[in-house]
């Protein structure tokens, strides 16, 4: 890996100021950086060579967790994953969030990496997460500097993999986030942040800063997150399953969310499987039925660890396991 | 003297009789531990000299291509670029083995893998050098690439090498680097005697060393024309020879200093192109030049584990004895020779050094492919066949319905015997190793009896304690130690040995301190400097403790009488009654009659002048005299056995190792802490190889040249290990010691595959044993390993053994 290319570092005090700084520069010229744990390695490999970095670490009021389980909570975009993981309010009422945060990479990276950064990380592909020289030797690819997609050569789009561990959990919890632009802010569901395109995978404007994540009140919703990876640390997910349900007093499922990550360029919601669960009790049969269709929207390709056939098969296993966990956690 | 060969156990006195050891066998700190912990150790990349330039190397983006033209003019014109180097400026080929001098510092005619160096730049800083690479234009004529053993054997495209640079019988036929055939005894007769004859095929995937420290080298050429190279190398002596050859300099004008290595594992044992490149650039610019490889470039340096396909056929009797074994291996060598011929022979050499195999045949070949060259990695060439043999034996045991433990115990080779392929074995602690791990793991109660998903596996192995022969033919010692005493009571020990983290500097200090009765901190170790230190061949083949240890003992025992004579005179005690320990020389019978070691030094120096001595070591000759008998002999062999218990998730194929018990016949542990460190490190590395590591290619390019994507266990993945040291006091070893740096890796790998079978009833006959393979096997969809057809050469003549094995 090469060293970091030279850049100018700006340190705005507010998100709006940051957004303005970004808007003042052309698209390739400037990027925001939070913990840098995703961006800096990519810059070293020349996936990005911004001349200006707008650092978010000085942005005021952008860290911490506030609210309650009855009213819903707000997490600052610049909160580090370590802080998220150790937050007692989250641990008690939203354990799926702390589980997912704790499963991201390794402790040192979680000390620097932020939640906002985690929701915005670049998509991944092992034709792309390589040094400049390496990519040159395969004549680059569509996502950066090249023409075609090596994973799916006839494809018009890039299939790089959405790899955030926390995104599927926030989607399963129907969370929203605040995006701050140069002229004001807006609040959108986390789900609508993502696009099924490995290159333009974020639907927000490039100058918008993600400042807050809002999670609705718990309202009896139970959620969990399971991650598949080769090693028990450091590795990105090669499959992630977030599942959440709300049940009536008699145990009948009223709402269900099953969100898969790392099997597409955006987190995918298995809505057909969700529909199967609604109105039923969470029994072994219902779980099997849901799992047998939940894995279908997973489209793993040969661009990350282990074989795609295996990862697809595991989607079914992991969905069933996640639902079983929720079944066992029945109040 | 420990350097004499003993063929009988009687009469061997590896230690001073009844003399208690004051240092050897104690869990002392490593001599370089503090410096390492606080970050003071100067690794090659920490060095900086005034006016130093930085080098970057331009590498081929094609797996196989003719180099038509290299235009450096644009790069040379860049501000900050001081020199650009191309292959034609270094026309002399080199390589670690005399029979395959097939590398050039920078490719001249052809690029043979993605990452093969073609040009180099020296510039005022790394960024400028890096940027300059983009301005070197290379015209390539792309050739068909050869990426597998089968493609290499197909002979339908231009061979990677012409063979001009390769010597030796049977060398280079198309893309076959070499094919060998050895036969000991009448195989057919053996198979006829057997109750069961079984054939199996296996594949061992290639993997790399992954040392923490990336290779780095700094060269400086003085006004006197003398060249100095500091490098992270395990073999300064061999680098010295290659440098002198390629730079066409008298060897006396070249000095190679091996810096402390941040891990090597065999990956820093070749003379490397980047070392020669910086030396040439230093000559050209008359400024010091440094290169430090990126992690990706380390994957291209490689010289790691060969991918090997194997076929084995054995005959076994109902009682478990093997009647004959026929073993074939097919090595995917990558683009250059490296240690490949030795690797090839090693895949057939040590099969016989664990269990009694009365008749044995080995056929093997190594091919060239357009991938980074393979070479020696911990357990060099014996890891792949050990995986095959142990898994094969487990299947045989099952077929004859015998416990895999008994099958092994019953046929452990005899101590002080000679194997079918004429290797002389000395002490053998294998039985004890097997018994201890079986007992600690409760193997008999668990094997075949654990609940589904849980399994236990057992395997054993052996390894060399130093190769019996040097890499180039000579009759010189393999290791030399020079001692110098100073008036303050200090001892300086000079030796060419290279500390790669295994602790060889510490072992040298312990041995000298023990012999002269001083404290470890009184011994100043100067190692791995071709100007200052006597030759030691390097840190490979688990040779250093035994060879340097013996050389140090000899040197110390030559000095000792000079000191004892003075003490005897001064203390008025007969010399035979004097002992040395903890900086004192004292009367064994009246320990308070004593004097300081330093005082004896002063008296002896007054009498004899400056005090110093040398010692050296050459391993005993091996009885074998056939072509190929040079690979496999060793002064003595270490033995290991491993049992491990694991759990496999039958739905996901994910393996969790619960515990590993490993016993190792170390002969005598010079320092049990270091020995256990080596064992645990071996276990860690073995688990990485069997569970996840693979050096794989896609579209001609290394698929995952990074530490994130090339999976190797992190420390949370490391299970608890119980290490058991077995001491057999080998007459060849210093104080009876044998190796422990490589052997313990060997049984771990097959034990995992065997335990997976015990857990779920599926055989994974190829490494790594990954979750997707386990799931496929459970579904009955894992394809068996196939081996190519090959027209093997006839077996070489095996003349009668040498009568006298002493050197
Ligand atoms: C070895 C390694 C392993 C990893 N493993 C995992 C893993 O297992 N799971 C996982 O999810 N991640 C993993 N990561 C990625 C990364 O560490 C985390 O996702 C982390 O949370 C990213 O946060 P950051 O603040 O460091 O982001 P940065 O690197 O600072 O930014 C990431 C991207 O988001 C943009 N960005 C950052 N903050 C904002 C914001 N507030 N608003 C708008 N845009 C923003 C940046 O411009 C950049 O494009 C790994 C990284 C490494 C190097
Ligand atoms: S999915 Fe295709 S286009 Fe996208 S990064 Fe991978 S190879 Fe490139």
């Amino acid at each position: 890996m090469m060293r970091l290319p030279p850049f100018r570092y700006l340190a705005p005090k507010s998100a709006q100021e940051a957004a303005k700084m970004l808007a003042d520069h052309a698209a390739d010229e400037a990027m925001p950086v939070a913990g840098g744990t995703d961006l800096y390695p990519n810059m070293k490999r020349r996936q990005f060579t911004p001349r200006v970095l707008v650092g978010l670490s000085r942005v005021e009021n952008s860290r911490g967790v506030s609210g309650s389980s009855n009213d819903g909570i707000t997490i600052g975009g610049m909160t580090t994953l370590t802080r998220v993981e150790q937050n007692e309010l989250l641990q008690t009422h939203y354990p799926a969030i702390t589980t997912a945060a704790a499963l991201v990479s390794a402790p040192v990276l979680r000390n620097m990496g932020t939640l906002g950064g985690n929701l915005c990380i670049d998509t991944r592909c092992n034709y792309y997460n390589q040094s400049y020289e390496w990519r040159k030797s395969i004549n680059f690819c569509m996502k950066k500097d090249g023409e075609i997609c090596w994973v799916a050569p006839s494809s018009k789009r890039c299939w790089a993999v959405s790899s955030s561990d926390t995104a599927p959990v926030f989607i399963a919890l129907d969370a929203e986030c605040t995006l701050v632009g140069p002229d004001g802010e807006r609040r959108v569901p986390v789900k609508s942040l993502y696009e099924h395109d490995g290159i333009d995978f974020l639907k927000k404007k490039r100058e918008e800063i993600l400042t807050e994540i809002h999670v609705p009140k718990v309202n009896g919703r139970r959620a969990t997150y399971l991650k598949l990876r080769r090693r028990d640390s450091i590795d990105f997910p090669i499959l992630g399953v977030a599942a959440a349900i709300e049940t009536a007093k008699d145990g009948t499922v009223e709402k269900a969310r099953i969100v898969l990550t790392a099997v597409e360029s955006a987190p995918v919601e298995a809505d057909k499987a969700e529909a199967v669960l609604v109105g039923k009790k969470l029994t072994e049969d219902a779980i099997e039925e849901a799992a047998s269709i939940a894995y279908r929207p997973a489209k793993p390709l040969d661009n990350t660890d282990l074989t795609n056939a295996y990862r697809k098969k595991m989607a079914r296993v992991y969905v069933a396991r996640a639902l079983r966990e929720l079944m066992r956690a029945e109040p | 003297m420990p350097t004499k060969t003993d063929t009988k156990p009687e009469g061997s006195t590896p230690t001073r009789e009844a003399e208690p050891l004051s240092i050897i066998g104690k869990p002392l700190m490593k001599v370089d531990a503090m410096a390492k912990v606080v970050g003071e150790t100067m690794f090659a990349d920490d060095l900086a000299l005034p006016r130093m330039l930085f080098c970057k190397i331009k590498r081929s983006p094609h797996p196989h291509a003719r180099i038509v033209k290299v235009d450096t003019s644009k790069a040379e014109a860049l501000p900050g670029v001081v020199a650009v180097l191309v292959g034609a400026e270094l026309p002399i080929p080199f390589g670690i083995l005399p029979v395959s001098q097939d590398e050039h510092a920078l490719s001249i005619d052809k690029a043979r893998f993605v990452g093969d160096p073609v040009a180099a730049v020296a510039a005022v800083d790394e960024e400028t050098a890096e940027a300059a690479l983009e301005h070197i234009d290379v015209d390539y004529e792309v050739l068909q690439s050869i990426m597998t053993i089968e493609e290499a054997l197909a002979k339908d495209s231009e061979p990677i090498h012409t063979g001009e640079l390769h010597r030796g019988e049977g060398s280079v036929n198309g893309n076959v680097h070499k094919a060998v055939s050895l036969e000991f005894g009448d195989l057919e007769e053996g198979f006829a005697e057997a109750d069961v004859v079984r054939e199996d095929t296996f594949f061992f995937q290639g993997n790399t060393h992954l040392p923490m420290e990336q290779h780095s080298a700094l060269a400086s050429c003085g006004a006197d024309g003398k060249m100095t190279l500091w490098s992270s190398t395990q073999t300064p002596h061999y680098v010295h020879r290659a440098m002198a050859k390629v730079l066409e300099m008298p060897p006396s004008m070249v000095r190679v200093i091996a810096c402390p290595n941040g891990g090597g594992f065999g990956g820093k044992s070749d003379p490397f192109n980047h070392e020669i490149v910086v030396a040439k650039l230093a000559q050209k610019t008359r400024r010091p030049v440094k290169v430090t490889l990126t992690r990706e470039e380390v994957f291209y340096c490689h010289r790691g584990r060969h991918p090997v396909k194997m076929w084995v056929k054995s005959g076994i009797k109902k009682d478990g004895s093997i009647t004959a074994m026929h073993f074939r291996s097919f090595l995917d060598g990558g683009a250059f020779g490296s240690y490949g011929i030795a690797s090839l022979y090693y895949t057939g050499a040590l099969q016989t050094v664990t269990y009694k195999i009365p008749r044995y045949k080995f056929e093997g070949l190594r091919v060239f492919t357009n991938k980074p060259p393979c070479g020696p990695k911990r357990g060099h060439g014996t890891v792949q066949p050990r995986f095959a043999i142990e898994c094969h034996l487990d299947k045989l045991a099952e077929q004859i319905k015998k416990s895999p433990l008994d099958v092994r115990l019953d046929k452990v080779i005899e101590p002080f015997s000679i194997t079918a392929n004429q290797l002389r074995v000395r002490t053998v602690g294998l039985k004890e190793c097997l018994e201890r791990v079986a007992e600690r793991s409760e193997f008999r109660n668990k094997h075949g009896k654990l609940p589904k998903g849980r399994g236990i596996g057992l395997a054993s192995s052996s390894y060399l304690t130093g190769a019996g022969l040097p890499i180039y033919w000579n009759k010189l010692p393999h290791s030399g130690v020079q001692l110098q005493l100073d008036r303050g009571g200090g001892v300086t020990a000079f030796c060419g040995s290279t500390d790669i983290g295994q602790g060889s500097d510490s072992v040298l200090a312990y041995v000298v301190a023990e012999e002269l009765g001083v404290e470890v901190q009184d011994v100043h170790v100067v190692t791995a400097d071709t100007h200052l230190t006597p030759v030691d061949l390097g840190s490979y083949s688990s040779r250093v403790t035994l060879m340097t240890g013996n050389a140090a003992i000899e040197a110390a025992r030559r000095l000792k009488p000079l000191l004892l004579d003075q003490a005897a005179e001064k203390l008025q005690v007969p010399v035979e009654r004097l002992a040395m320990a903890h900086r004192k020389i004292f009367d064994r019978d009246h320990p308070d009659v004593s004097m300081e070691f330093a005082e004896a030094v002063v008296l002896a120096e007054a009498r004899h002048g400056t005090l110093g001595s040398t010692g050296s070591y050459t391993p005993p000759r091996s009885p074998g005299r056939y072509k190929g008998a040079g690979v496999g002999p060793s002064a003595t062999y270490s033995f290991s056995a491993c049992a491990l218990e694991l759990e496999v998730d039958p739905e996901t194929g994910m393996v969790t190792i619960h515990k590993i018990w490993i016993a190792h016949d170390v002969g005598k542990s010079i320092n049990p802490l270091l020995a256990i460190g080596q064992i645990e490190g071996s276990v860690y590395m073995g688990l990485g190889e069997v569970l996840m590591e693979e050096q794989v290619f896609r579209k001609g390019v290394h698929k995952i040249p990074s530490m994130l994507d090339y999976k190797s266990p992190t420390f949370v993945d490391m299970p608890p290990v119980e290490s058991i040291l077995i001491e057999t006091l080998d007459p060849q070893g210093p104080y009876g010691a044998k190796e422990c740096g490589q052997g313990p890796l060997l049984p771990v790998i097959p034990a995992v595959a065997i335990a997976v079978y015990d857990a779920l009833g599926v055989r994974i006959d190829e490494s790594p044993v990954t979750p997707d393979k386990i799931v496929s096997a459970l579904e009955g969809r894992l394809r068996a390993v196939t081996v190519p057809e090959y027209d093997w050469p006839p077996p070489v003549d095996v003349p009668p053994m040498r009568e006298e094995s002493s050197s």
Side-chain angles (χ1 to χ4, degrees):
Chain A
M1 203 179 320
M2 304 182 210
R3 289 172 203 278
L4 277 175
F7 56 84
R8 215 152 65 84
Y9 186 88
L10 306 179
K13 289 253 173 5
S14 74
Q16 194 164 9
E17 196 190 342
K20 280 196 184 121
M21 288 170 170
L22 289 167
D24 285 347
H25 291 91
D28 295 345
E29 294 261 291
M31 286 178 84
V33 64
T37 60
D38 187 54
L39 185 57
Y40 291 142
N42 279 348
M43 285 172 66
K44 288 182 179 179
R45 293 168 154 172
R46 306 299 187 263
Q47 271 92 359
F48 303 103
T49 47
R51 290 197 306 118
V52 174
L53 282 184
V54 177
L56 302 179
S57 61
R58 299 273 171 83
V59 170
E60 284 156 10
N61 303 323
S62 61
R63 292 184 174 79
V65 181
S66 58
S68 73
S69 59
N70 291 330
D71 306 323
I73 49 144
T74 296
I75 313 174
M78 282 298 296
T79 313
T80 65
L81 295 171
T82 302
R83 290 266 178 262
V84 170
E85 175 190 341
Q86 292 171 350
N87 184 276
E88 279 177 29
L89 180 65
L90 295 176
Q91 281 174 353
T92 314
H93 298 291
Y94 301 93
I97 297 175
T98 53
T99 301
L103 286 169
V104 172
S105 60
V108 278
L109 287 152
R110 294 198 292 273
N111 288 343
M112 287 303 289
T114 65
L115 194 55
N118 188 257
L119 290 175
C120 298
I121 48 167
D122 197 5
T123 52
R124 298 185 67 81
C125 166
N126 59 25
Y127 284 96
Y128 167 75
N129 296 106
Q130 302 277 1
S131 71
Y132 178 80
E133 286 299 321
W134 190 100
R135 288 184 288 123
K136 199 173 158 197
S137 70
I138 59 156
N139 214 1
F140 303 105
C141 78
M142 195 193 285
K143 185 159 158 76
K144 178 72 182 151
D145 304 323
E147 303 297 320
I148 76 158
C149 169
W150 293 110
V151 180
S154 57
S155 167
K156 288 210 168 52
R157 62 165 266 214
C158 159
W159 287 84
V161 177
S162 172
S163 302
S164 163
D165 277 307
T166 65
V169 173
F170 287 117
I171 296 172
L173 293 174
D174 292 324
E176 297 183 345
C177 58
T178 299
L179 299 173
V180 174
D183 309 313
E185 58 178 62
R186 60 189 179 116
R187 196 163 147 162
V188 298
V190 172
K191 186 176 177 184
S192 71
L193 205 54
Y194 301 103
E195 188 81 83
H196 286 268
D197 182 324
I199 298 171
D200 290 315
F201 56 92
L202 283 180
K203 270 193 231 166
K204 71 173 190 64
K205 293 200 196 77
R206 65 161 191 95
E207 64 270 21
E208 279 177 323
I209 303 294
L210 195 162
T211 54
E212 285 174 337
I213 296 112
H214 314 277
V215 189
K217 62 181 177 194
V218 174
N219 200 27
R221 186 175 293 204
R222 310 194 293 278
T224 188
Y225 178 66
L226 296 183
K227 174 174 181 173
L228 176 69
R229 56 174 165 180
R230 205 88 86 91
R231 301 175 288 188
D232 282 339
S233 184
I234 255 313
D235 286 339
F236 279 92
I238 52 175
L239 164 72
V241 174
I245 50 163
E246 277 177 33
T247 50
K249 285 216 169 60
D250 69 349
T252 307
V253 175
E254 291 178 334
K255 259 189 200 155
R257 291 277 181 277
I258 300 171
V259 187
L260 308 179
T261 194
V263 289
E264 243 283 14
S265 298
V268 267
E269 192 165 351
D271 30 22
K272 291 213 177 90
E274 292 170 356
V276 159
L277 291 174
V278 174
K280 288 198 185 107
K281 291 199 173 134
L282 203 55
T283 58
E284 193 53 47
D285 284 348
I287 289 173
E288 267 310 316
E289 190 187 346
S292 70
I293 46 178
Y295 80 102
R296 288 199 191 135
K299 293 199 185 61
L301 296 171
D302 180 25
N303 58 356
T304 170
D305 190 28
L306 293 173
T307 62
N308 27 345
Y310 173 79
R311 273 152 45 222
K312 180 133 189 160
K313 214 172 285 165
M314 287 310 110
R316 180 177 181 160
V317 173
Y318 270 57
V319 167
R321 286 185 178 189
L323 292 174
R324 260 182 234 130
E325 220 171 80
L326 297 180
M327 176 172 78
R328 283 197 297 270
E330 207 131 324
Chain B
M1 291 298 296
T3 49
K4 283 270 158 55
T5 300
D6 302 73
T7 48
K8 288 188 267 352
E10 308 87 57
S12 60
T13 48
T15 58
R16 288 170 292 169
E17 274 159 74
E19 196 79 76
L21 296 168
S22 57
I23 285 163
I24 299 300
K26 305 248 157 40
L28 300 175
M29 195 160 85
K30 275 189 186 181
V31 296
D32 52 355
M34 282 310 284
K36 289 246 168 84
V37 169
V38 302
E40 277 174 9
T41 304
M42 297 286 268
F43 295 97
D45 187 45
D46 293 321
L47 305 177
L49 292 175
R51 301 175 68 243
M52 184 173 88
L53 300 173
F54 294 82
C55 166
K56 281 279 171 189
I57 294 171
K58 186 168 179 88
R59 296 171 186 276
S60 169
H62 305 294
H64 197 190
R66 216 178 306 290
I67 298 170
V68 181
K69 198 173 137 216
V70 185
D71 182 354
T72 60
S73 52
K74 274 188 274 169
E76 271 161 67
L78 285 178
V81 170
V82 183
V84 182
L85 193 67
V86 295
E89 293 169 81
L90 287 163
I92 297 177
F94 64 96
I96 183 71
L97 298 186
V99 291
S100 16
Q101 301 278 302
D102 61 356
E103 297 183 52
H104 284 94
L106 298 166
S107 307
I108 301 169
D109 56 335
K110 275 214 291 196
R112 292 178 171 86
F113 64 96
V114 174
D116 208 1
V118 288
V121 174
V124 290
D125 55 43
E126 220 174 357
E127 287 74 16
T128 308
E130 178 101 48
L133 298 183
E134 282 286 290
H135 297 275
I136 298 174
D137 296 318
V138 186
D139 288 346
Y140 293 100
E141 179 196 332
V142 175
L143 301 169
Q144 196 184 323
S145 60
I146 294 157
M147 301 304 291
T148 63
I149 297 169
E150 286 76 8
E151 283 171 17
L153 293 174
K155 289 191 182 170
D156 56 0
S157 55
E158 176 173 322
I160 296 167
H161 289 278
T162 58
E164 254 170 80
L165 302 176
H166 299 89
R167 291 194 279 114
E169 215 169 284
S171 270
V172 188
N173 168 13
N175 277 309
V176 176
H177 180 190
K178 192 175 177 88
V180 300
S181 180
L182 302 169
E183 186 168 6
F184 308 94
D186 185 343
L187 229 62
E188 288 317 313
E189 181 188 87
F191 288 133
E193 270 178 29
D195 293 315
V196 170
V197 176
R198 185 186 168 98
E199 293 176 33
D200 285 303
T201 52
F202 297 92
F203 174 58
F204 200 99
Q205 181 57 280
N207 55 53
T208 201
H209 316 83
L210 220 70
M212 291 298 283
E213 180 208 19
Q214 296 152 211
H215 305 51
S216 180
L218 164 63
S220 174
C221 184
D224 53 6
K226 289 188 180 176
M227 173 70 67
T228 305
L229 179 85
W230 293 262
S231 183
S232 33
T233 174
Q234 301 177 233
T235 52
H237 175 62
Y238 296 136
V239 173
H240 183 215
R241 287 169 52 85
M243 294 256 296
K245 178 185 177 196
V246 181
L247 298 174
E248 296 178 274
M249 290 175 78
S252 65
M253 300 284 279
V254 178
R255 175 181 184 187
V256 176
I257 301 169
C259 298
N261 282 212
F265 312 110
K268 296 171 181 166
S269 324
D270 286 55
F272 280 106
N273 49 60
H274 62 264
E275 294 169 323
I276 292 164
V277 162
V278 286
K280 184 71 185 178
L281 283 168
Q283 259 180 355
K284 232 176 133 162
T285 60
R286 292 300 314 281
R287 289 171 71 167
V289 182
K290 181 162 92 174
V291 68
T292 299
L293 302 188
T294 64
R295 176 57 60 182
E296 184 178 340
E297 288 177 297
V298 175
F299 279 95
Y300 301 147
C301 256
H302 193 45
R303 322 286 157 149
R305 189 85 70 224
H306 285 74
V308 182
K309 288 191 157 193
M310 293 164 283
W311 170 88
V312 55
K313 176 179 173 184
S314 305
I316 196 166
K317 286 198 191 158
K318 287 239 168 62
D319 68 2
S321 53
I322 289 180
T323 58
M325 179 182 283
H326 187 174
F327 196 93
R328 287 189 180 136
S329 60
F330 304 80
L331 285 74
D332 178 348
F336 292 100
S338 181
Y339 283 77
I341 301 288
S343 319
L344 169 60
Y345 278 111
Y346 273 129
T347 64
L350 300 193
Q351 272 81 339
T352 54
V353 189
T354 32
Y355 318 115
K356 287 173 213 149
I357 299 174
R359 305 172 187 83
Y360 177 62
K361 180 168 184 177
F362 168 63
E363 288 162 320
L365 62 82
R366 180 181 195 261
V367 297
F368 290 119
T369 51
N370 292 118
K371 297 189 272 193
C374 298
K377 182 184 168 188
R378 205 175 200 170
H380 189 190
T382 71
V383 171
Q384 302 96 327
R386 185 50 59 189
F387 169 68
I389 295 291
E390 296 298 312
C391 293
H392 176 63
L393 196 59
D394 198 62
K395 298 181 192 193
L396 282 168
E398 189 180 32
Q399 222 171 325
I400 60 165
K401 302 195 172 59
K402 255 193 101 148
S403 146
L405 173 61
D406 293 331
V407 159
R408 286 178 171 83
L409 278 173
D410 289 351
K411 48 173 157 300
V412 166
I413 48 165
E414 295 295 330
F416 299 93
S417 62
I418 292 178
T419 66
N421 55 340
Q422 306 185 350
L423 301 175
R424 185 183 294 282
V425 174
R426 291 185 170 86
T427 63
V428 178
L430 182 53
K431 255 195 189 132
E432 210 180 334
C433 288
L434 279 163
E435 276 160 0
R436 290 291 297 279
V437 296
E439 174 203 325
R440 295 293 305 150
S441 66
E442 299 175 55
F443 183 81
R444 287 194 198 273
N445 297 337
K446 289 179 181 165
H447 182 249
K449 295 173 195 146
L450 293 171
K452 185 172 179 219
R454 218 166 158 112
I456 190 164
L458 178 95
S460 48
S461 62
S462 61
Y463 199 66
L464 331 165
T465 306
L469 291 170
I471 272 163
Y472 64 99
W473 170 244
N474 69 69
K475 288 187 159 180
L476 304 169
H478 291 212
S479 189
V481 169
Q482 184 175 348
L483 297 178
Q484 182 183 300
L485 298 186
D486 71 63
R487 296 173 189 179
V491 186
T492 309
F494 300 88
C495 179
S497 61
T498 304
D499 202 314
I500 57 172
Q502 87 281 41
S504 61
D505 279 1
S506 302
V507 168
L508 178 58
Y510 301 153
V511 170
V512 171
E514 178 69 52
E515 287 297 320
L516 294 179
V518 295
E519 299 295 350
V520 176
Q521 57 267 38
D522 299 328
V523 183
H524 316 299
V525 167
V526 177
T527 50
D529 180 329
T530 60
H531 265 16
L532 300 183
T533 61
V535 168
D536 173 89
L537 294 178
S539 285
Y540 65 94
S541 87
S542 274
R543 48 177 299 290
V544 185
T545 292
L546 183 129
M547 301 203 195
T548 302
N550 281 334
I553 289 175
E554 186 175 89
R557 290 186 187 172
R558 281 178 178 163
L559 262 182
K560 236 155 98 173
L562 305 186
L563 301 171
L564 291 180
D565 285 350
Q566 297 307 310
E569 204 175 308
K570 175 91 195 277
L571 298 174
Q572 293 297 304
V573 174
V575 158
E576 314 79 64
R577 280 215 332 252
L578 288 177
M580 305 169 94
H582 302 303
R583 298 182 179 148
K584 289 234 175 345
I585 300 178
F586 57 92
D587 181 349
R588 244 187 240 108
D589 298 345
H590 309 279
D592 43 330
V593 179
S594 71
M595 69 189 289
E596 295 294 316
F597 172 81
E599 197 190 339
V601 172
V602 169
L603 292 173
E605 187 175 334
R607 172 75 58 87
H608 303 286
T610 302
L611 297 175
S613 70
T614 59
S616 52
Y617 177 79
T618 310
R621 272 171 89 193
S622 163
R625 286 196 298 154
Y626 57 90
K627 251 194 168 49
V631 177
S634 178
T636 184
Y637 299 86
S638 75
F639 296 88
S640 321
C642 165
L644 58 85
E645 197 174 331
L646 51 70
E647 193 156 317
V648 198
D649 183 324
E651 265 187 318
T652 64
M654 288 283 176
V655 174
T656 311
I657 313 270
H658 286 291
K659 173 119 197 211
I660 296 191
W661 298 265
I662 183 158
H664 182 70
D665 168 12
V666 65
K668 160 86 190 167
S669 54
I670 300 281
N671 177 338
L673 215 58
L674 294 194
I676 288 171
Q678 287 299 312
I679 293 174
E680 289 178 356
S682 294
V683 167
Y684 165 81
M685 188 172 263
L687 288 178
E689 294 196 29
V690 64
L691 292 174
M692 45 186 95
E693 294 191 29
E694 41 188 338
Q695 169 112 334
V696 283
F697 297 79
R698 183 174 59 186
K699 296 185 195 307
V701 191
H702 194 304
K703 190 174 169 187
I704 39 170
S706 82
M707 282 180 108
L708 180 58
D709 293 319
Y710 175 92
K711 304 296 178 194
S712 182
T714 70
F715 51 68
V716 291
D717 304 297
M718 183 73 180
V721 179
E722 183 175 321
S723 302
I724 302 160
L725 297 172
I726 305 292
E727 301 199 328
T728 52
L729 298 184
D730 197 278
Q732 284 291 320
Y735 313 100
K738 311 189 197 182
E739 76 89 38
C740 65
Q742 309 195 64
L745 171 115
L746 291 146
V748 177
I749 295 168
V752 169
I754 290 169
V756 165
Y757 177 72
D758 191 45
L760 288 179
V762 288
R763 295 278 183 194
I764 313 294
D765 290 334
E766 57 181 278
S767 79
V769 178
T770 52
D772 50 340
K773 284 183 197 158
I774 293 176
V775 169
S776 293
L778 285 167
E779 293 170 348
R781 292 191 299 106
L782 188 69
R783 269 182 254 140
V785 175
T786 56
V787 296
E789 294 285 316
Y790 191 71
D791 197 4
W792 297 99
V796 301
D797 286 337
V798 178
M801 284 188 263
R802 270 187 204 102
E803 300 256 315
E804 183 44 63
S805 71
S806 304
S807 48

